[in-house]
């Protein structure tokens, strides 16, 4: 299946500063988030084990694949750029076309997406999950 970049991606990748902005181009996704380093994303108690929480405004999904192990990924589906909808049974699910990504590492579990969700660096301080 051939993917074509969205108009926004094409514009972003052909404009000034394209070199710095194009590292994630080509899959049609936009993994930019509005969160700032150090920003609290969630409380640890709000993230279910084997599940997670989608932060649509920040475009980040926080997961807890195993008890006490937290991960964060871009919430922008690498298929066509929808915000993923849910995390359950160990996968991050996109309702647009049914792609699923592993909550542990963002890898593709089921297409049509072919690229993993980019991981976001986080720190856990006490009960707070923060963007690194
Ligand atoms: S945009 Fe997510 S599966 Fe198509």
């Amino acid at each position: 299946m051939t993917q074509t970049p969205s108009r926004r991606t094409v514009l972003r990748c052909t404009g000034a500063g394209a070199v710095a902005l194009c590292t994630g181009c080509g899959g049609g996704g936009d993994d930019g988030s509005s969160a700032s380093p150090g920003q609290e994303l969630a409380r640890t108690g709000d993230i279910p084990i084997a599940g997670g929480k989608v932060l649509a405004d920040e475009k980040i999904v926080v997961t807890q694949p195993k008890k006490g192990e937290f991960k964060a990924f871009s919430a922008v589906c690498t298929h066509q750029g929808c915000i993923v909808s849910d995390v359950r049974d160990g996968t991050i699910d996109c309702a647009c076309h049914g792609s699923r990504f592993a909550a542990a590492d963002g890898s593709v579990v089921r297409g049509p997406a072919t690229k993993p969700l980019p991981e976001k660096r986080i720190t856990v301080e006490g009960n707070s999950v923060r963007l690194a």
Side-chain angles (χ1 to χ4, degrees):
M1 182 172 180
T2 303
Q3 294 180 342
T4 55
S6 68
R7 177 177 157 76
R8 184 173 54 176
T9 301
V10 170
L11 290 174
R12 189 176 67 178
C13 293
T14 55
V19 172
L21 292 172
C22 282
T23 55
C25 294
D30 176 4
D31 65 354
S33 96
S34 58
S36 306
Q39 177 180 333
E40 182 178 80
L41 297 173
R43 307 294 290 178
T44 55
D46 293 339
I47 310 299
I49 297 168
K53 185 173 180 182
V54 178
L55 308 169
D57 287 347
E58 290 83 0
K59 297 182 183 176
I60 290 176
V61 55
V62 180
T63 67
Q64 186 177 189
K66 295 181 195 166
K67 187 175 180 5
E69 179 184 307
F70 296 90
K71 301 272 186 163
F73 306 92
S74 166
V76 180
C77 181
T78 57
H79 177 227
Q80 288 186 357
C82 290
I83 298 296
V84 296
S85 50
D86 199 9
V87 185
R88 65 178 130 184
D89 300 329
T91 61
I92 301 165
D93 303 343
C94 180
C96 284
H97 311 98
S99 291
R100 291 186 181 170
F101 305 88
D105 62 9
S107 61
V108 176
V109 173
R110 187 174 89 184
T114 58
K115 294 181 178 178
L117 294 176
E119 188 164 0
K120 300 284 186 182
R121 290 181 48 231
I122 54 170
T123 58
V124 180
E125 300 167 14
N127 294 327
S128 179
V129 180
R130 294 182 182 277
L131 202 59

